[in-house]
Amino acid sequence: MMTLSTYSTLARILTADDPLAVQIERCLHVVRTDLPDLDVQITVWGHGQQRVWSTSDDVLWDATRTAQVARRRQPLIFDQQATLLPTSLSLPAPRLEPPSERSYMGLPVLWEGRLWAVLEAQRVGPFTSGERTLLLNLSPLLATAVGEEQWGRLARPSGTNDLELPAQRAIDQLAQTLESPLELASLLDVVLREAMHATKASSGAINLMDYEHEEYSLAHSIGFPAQPGASGERNAWPLAVGVVGRVARTGKATLLTDTSHGPEWASPQADVRAELVIPIHGPQQVLAVLVLATTREPVFTTEDLYAAQSIADLATKPLQRALEYQALIEVRTQLQQTLESLPLGLALLDGEGRLLRTNPAWFQHWHIDPRRSGDLQYVPWDMLPLLLSRLSHPLELSDFFAECQSHPQKTFETTMRLQEPDQDIRLRSSPVLDAHSTPNGRLVMIEDITREREIDKMKNEFVSVVSHELRTPLTSILGYTELLLARDFPPVERQEFIQTVYDQANQLSKMVDDLLSLSRLDAGQIKLSRWVVSLHQIIAEITRQLNETLSARHRLLIDIPANIPPIYADKDKIRQILTNLLSNAIKYSPDGGQVALFVRELRTPPPDAPNLPKERAVLIAVRDQGLGIAPADLPNVFNRFFRVDNSNTRKIGGTGLGLSITKALVELHGGRIWVTSTVGKGSTFWLTLPIATELARRS
């Protein structure tokens, strides 16, 4: 309805932070625009003068009627159709004047028995129900606007400096309670309960301001229904939204006598009749906003407003103190959580080397049981007995801390090697300064750099392997092409040279493919195109390819049951996996022998198998009768760039990437791969791949 929308607009204007004259002029402009048939006049008394505003200068108003409404402080209504008056409005029976064609309504604007203004309206014909409702509900908003102009920030009228005696005693008792330090949650609860008790409010809430993020959040509430959303969800709103935000911006208390119109006045309780919204001021800006709601009649009085503001004023310093303490607690908690989650080990020592504080990573890096921290009073001397078995050079650790002790203003750093387990660590000791920039302790950091050392080692191995492996085929390619360019050869020799160049170029291409595959795996760019795949078909294709390059000294044995179930896999990747394993078996059997490929449905895992997935799978084994792998090298065979280093394997080329890529591809399919071997007798590489069950195809 137009009148409801008009009322919402008028309510926003009358509660804005503008001078009263501006508010009334804007209200009359809205009435002229939205309700052109309605003429309105507002007469305001205050500061020893009378001010009058009206929607039109051409309309005649009877001053005696205005005086009658003001004197009797009762509504005065002349309506052409009395039966149209809604029974829900608390208005006297209208007096009718049949000769007049204009209806008249005069409403006194009262608060606590005091007359602030008179609101008058007239029109041709009877008032509509919406117009009467609008005028009746506009009266208390006018009272608030006029009263706020005359009171300012709740200035008490002269002669009312003190509250009633019981209320004053409650205020004095609250002041004593707030003198003792209270944590934020307890303080908010005390303030809210006292304010609700003093005003007999049915529910209340306190919102805290966050000017950094330009928002406010609900900190504590009593009596209001739970806000919708997940449990523990933070309720926060922009400062530009709602009556709470307006009170925070203006610093002025607000009394809402009708919370049913407009989103700014919306209350979480449907039966709320009125709300008190009180700012809790800080030194420069509002710290919090107190909201008190009532469902009773009569609604809040002026004394309620004063009592609530008095409690809010008492809470200013305690709240500021509690907020500062809460901020310190949050900073301390964040710092503690940061230290506990850091992968770096940290220890704070005093000037004599006494251990003051550590984080969990400190003991983890030294492999010391944290429960023994009580025995470690001095660093490093109390730690040495626990670390002797791990230190290759025990004096290295004590010398480092002795040097730090001798030069308290310098920062020192060193690296050392620990054993059992093997570990490379970096120690850094920095001075801790007091307020006068005098060293009074040290902050010691321990960092595990084993991975960094391994990466450096891998880089060196990569450069060494790749430079060697690339140089060999490149030398052949350059040599043979130079010969072919220098002179003519018989067709048979020329064909042999070209074949050698092709083979070496093909080997280079495979090396580049391995490097690209490794790069894509590290970047997570390899995606599987999985389908239901028959192992019979893949193995048949691989066998034909290998038979063309298989030497006379090798025998290839394929053992796969006819009823082996299909797998759910990427066909090209499975072909790459099996080709890598079979090629390695042939390459590392330089003296020949049997290379066997066995396929079975996995029912009972082999004795040396790791933990395998519970899903149905096929078990594949590639077995050779070649050089074998030493037990010390078995854990590293799937590491990139790793190659068994002995006199036999040095003659065999390779980058050390094939098995690393194979392992990654198997695990991408959800399978596992491992190896068993005996030096001089050969090796067996085992792997599992998922069977194409209905569940696997849907995943």
Side-chain angles (χ1 to χ4, degrees):
M1 297 177 62
M2 175 62 73
T3 51
L4 178 58
S5 173
T6 303
Y7 175 77
S8 297
T9 303
L10 295 175
R12 282 193 293 272
I13 293 173
L14 289 174
T15 55
D17 189 26
D18 293 315
L20 179 64
V22 175
Q23 292 176 326
I24 293 179
E25 289 289 353
R26 290 178 178 175
C27 287
L28 296 180
H29 174 74
V30 171
V31 172
R32 282 193 295 267
T33 303
D34 292 357
L35 302 170
D37 296 332
L38 193 67
D39 295 312
V40 174
Q41 175 175 279
I42 299 174
T43 305
V44 176
W45 289 275
H47 303 295
Q49 61 177 341
Q50 173 182 307
R51 292 171 289 174
V52 181
W53 293 270
S54 63
T55 53
S56 174
D57 296 333
D58 299 331
V59 177
L60 297 178
W61 295 89
D62 189 343
T64 59
R65 288 180 175 177
T66 306
Q68 185 179 359
V69 173
R71 183 175 62 255
R72 294 183 177 182
R73 301 190 179 187
Q74 293 291 330
L76 181 64
I77 303 173
F78 300 99
D79 200 321
Q80 291 185 353
Q81 295 186 18
T83 57
L84 294 178
L85 276 174
T87 57
S88 61
L89 298 181
S90 301
L91 297 174
R95 294 164 53 189
L96 302 181
E97 292 184 344
S100 173
E101 296 181 356
R102 298 181 69 84
S103 297
Y104 171 83
M105 180 183 297
L107 300 174
V109 178
L110 301 169
W111 190 257
E112 290 293 300
R114 179 177 176 181
L115 179 71
W116 295 103
V118 170
L119 171 63
E120 299 174 281
Q122 56 177 305
R123 62 163 297 155
V124 176
F127 292 109
T128 66
S129 174
E131 290 170 344
R132 288 191 295 273
T133 302
L134 171 69
L135 294 169
L136 184 65
N137 287 306
L138 197 59
S139 178
L141 288 176
L142 272 173
T144 301
V146 176
E148 189 170 281
E149 181 198 45
Q150 304 215 6
W151 290 348
R153 182 181 165 228
L154 288 184
R156 299 296 304 271
S158 61
T160 58
N161 292 328
D162 297 322
L163 296 172
E164 296 295 331
L165 187 58
Q168 188 62 46
R169 287 176 179 173
I171 292 295
D172 293 340
Q173 184 176 359
L174 176 62
Q176 293 179 0
T177 302
L178 296 181
E179 284 181 1
S180 58
L182 294 173
E183 64 175 2
L184 183 61
S186 300
L187 173 67
L188 296 180
D189 186 68
V190 169
V191 171
L192 183 56
R193 290 185 185 278
E194 287 295 332
M196 291 176 62
H197 177 73
T199 59
K200 297 181 176 57
S202 56
S203 54
I206 296 181
N207 298 272
L208 294 178
M209 303 300 112
D210 183 354
Y211 294 100
E212 181 180 354
H213 299 94
E214 296 186 353
E215 64 181 18
Y216 63 91
S217 60
L218 178 64
H220 187 52
S221 67
I222 299 175
F224 283 118
Q227 294 292 325
S231 177
E233 182 179 351
R234 176 171 172 266
N235 295 312
W237 301 269
L239 277 174
V241 172
V243 67
V244 172
R246 179 169 56 80
V247 169
R249 297 192 306 273
T250 63
K252 294 183 178 181
T254 296
L255 172 58
L256 301 178
T257 57
D258 189 344
T259 62
S260 61
H261 299 286
E264 189 178 46
W265 287 265
S267 174
Q269 284 181 293
D271 56 346
V272 166
R273 301 302 303 273
E275 285 186 352
L276 279 174
V277 189
I278 309 294
I280 301 178
H281 290 268
Q284 298 178 344
Q285 52 196 359
V286 173
L287 298 177
V289 172
L290 172 66
V291 179
L292 301 171
T294 182
T295 58
R296 62 181 171 82
E297 288 284 359
V299 296
F300 293 121
T301 66
T302 307
E303 288 300 320
D304 293 330
L305 199 62
Y306 294 142
Q309 185 67 69
S310 298
I311 292 174
D313 291 341
L314 281 178
T316 293
K317 290 185 178 179
L319 179 58
Q320 186 179 1
R321 184 171 59 239
L323 288 172
E324 291 173 354
Y325 181 66
Q326 181 73 14
L328 290 175
I329 291 178
E330 291 179 359
V331 170
R332 181 180 180 276
T333 302
Q334 292 172 358
L335 180 60
Q336 183 67 26
Q337 292 175 348
T338 302
L339 291 176
E340 290 181 355
S341 61
L342 272 178
L344 304 176
L346 296 175
L348 181 63
L349 312 180
D350 66 10
E352 298 179 357
R354 186 184 292 107
L355 188 62
L356 300 178
R357 193 163 191 175
T358 64
N359 70 337
W362 172 264
F363 297 106
Q364 292 172 6
H365 285 315
W366 292 113
H367 287 264
I368 294 176
D369 189 345
R371 291 173 295 182
R372 303 199 60 178
S373 59
D375 302 330
L376 307 178
Q377 296 186 10
Y378 289 89
V379 176
W381 300 278
D382 290 339
M383 296 172 56
L384 286 174
L386 304 176
L387 296 174
L388 281 177
S389 61
R390 301 200 64 204
L391 294 171
S392 303
H393 305 285
L395 291 178
E396 186 179 11
L397 183 63
S398 58
D399 289 346
F400 173 76
F401 281 95
E403 190 173 10
C404 295
Q405 199 80 7
S406 302
H407 302 84
Q409 293 184 334
K410 291 185 178 181
T411 297
F412 295 93
E413 184 175 305
T414 187
T415 59
M416 59 181 63
R417 177 82 172 173
L418 302 179
Q419 53 196 14
E420 297 179 7
D422 291 339
Q423 184 184 11
D424 293 298
I425 63 169
R426 178 187 292 120
L427 280 176
R428 181 182 176 87
S429 177
S430 302
V432 176
L433 307 180
D434 60 15
H436 304 288
S437 300
T438 302
N440 63 354
R442 281 196 165 270
L443 181 66
V444 183
M445 179 196 74
I446 178 174
E447 181 182 8
D448 191 335
I449 58 172
T450 306
R451 181 62 178 166
E452 292 181 18
R453 292 286 179 88
E454 290 177 353
I455 292 174
D456 289 340
K457 183 180 178 182
M458 289 170 56
K459 289 179 180 178
N460 294 333
E461 290 176 350
F462 171 78
V463 173
S464 175
V465 170
V466 171
S467 61
H468 176 269
E469 295 299 326
L470 290 177
R471 181 177 289 118
T472 302
L474 280 174
T475 301
S476 299
I477 292 172
L478 290 173
Y480 281 106
T481 52
E482 186 178 356
L483 286 173
L484 289 170
L485 290 171
R487 59 190 183 91
D488 292 331
F489 290 91
V492 175
E493 291 185 20
R494 185 169 62 251
Q495 181 65 28
E496 182 180 346
F497 290 171
I498 293 174
Q499 183 65 45
T500 301
V501 170
Y502 173 80
D503 293 340
Q504 296 299 323
N506 192 40
Q507 183 178 345
L508 276 178
S509 177
K510 290 180 179 179
M511 291 182 193
V512 173
D513 288 342
D514 284 347
L515 291 172
L516 290 175
S517 297
L518 190 65
S519 175
R520 294 192 188 103
L521 284 168
D522 287 341
Q525 294 178 351
I526 290 186
K527 306 297 181 184
L528 299 180
S529 178
R530 303 178 76 168
W531 300 89
V532 178
V533 176
S534 169
L535 278 172
H536 286 280
Q537 179 183 359
I538 296 177
I539 292 174
E541 294 174 0
I542 295 173
T543 303
R544 286 194 298 270
Q545 177 184 347
L546 290 177
N547 281 335
E548 297 177 359
T549 59
L550 203 63
S551 68
R553 294 173 297 178
H554 293 91
R555 301 184 307 279
L556 184 60
L557 172 64
I558 305 297
D559 184 357
I560 177 172
N563 61 347
I564 198 73
I567 60 173
Y568 184 59
D570 185 318
K571 182 177 180 181
D572 292 335
K573 300 299 185 293
I574 299 303
R575 184 186 294 110
Q576 183 179 354
I577 290 169
L578 296 181
T579 301
N580 281 347
L581 293 177
L582 288 170
S583 298
N584 273 2
I586 295 171
K587 184 166 58 173
Y588 287 95
S589 303
D591 296 330
Q594 180 177 279
V595 174
L597 174 64
F598 297 92
V599 182
R600 296 288 186 272
E601 183 175 354
L602 179 63
R603 301 188 185 279
T604 302
D608 298 323
N611 291 330
L612 301 178
K614 297 181 180 180
E615 291 79 10
R616 290 183 61 196
V618 295
L619 177 67
I620 301 175
V622 176
R623 182 178 301 158
D624 63 59
Q625 297 176 334
L627 302 174
I629 305 170
D633 294 327
L634 282 176
N636 301 315
V637 293
F638 293 106
N639 294 342
R640 58 186 67 181
F641 305 118
F642 177 81
R643 299 183 65 218
V644 177
D645 188 12
N646 57 50
S647 57
N648 294 320
T649 57
R650 290 193 193 101
K651 303 174 184 178
I652 303 172
T655 60
L657 295 177
L659 288 178
S660 176
I661 295 171
T662 299
K663 181 176 185 292
L665 293 177
V666 170
E667 292 179 348
L668 272 178
H669 283 84
R672 297 292 183 271
I673 185 170
W674 68 100
V675 60
T676 57
S677 183
T678 303
V679 176
K681 294 186 178 180
S683 305
T684 302
F685 283 84
W686 310 80
L687 68 125
T688 62
L689 293 171
I691 287 176
T693 61
E694 186 64 28
L695 180 61
R697 286 194 289 268
R698 291 179 181 177
S699 61

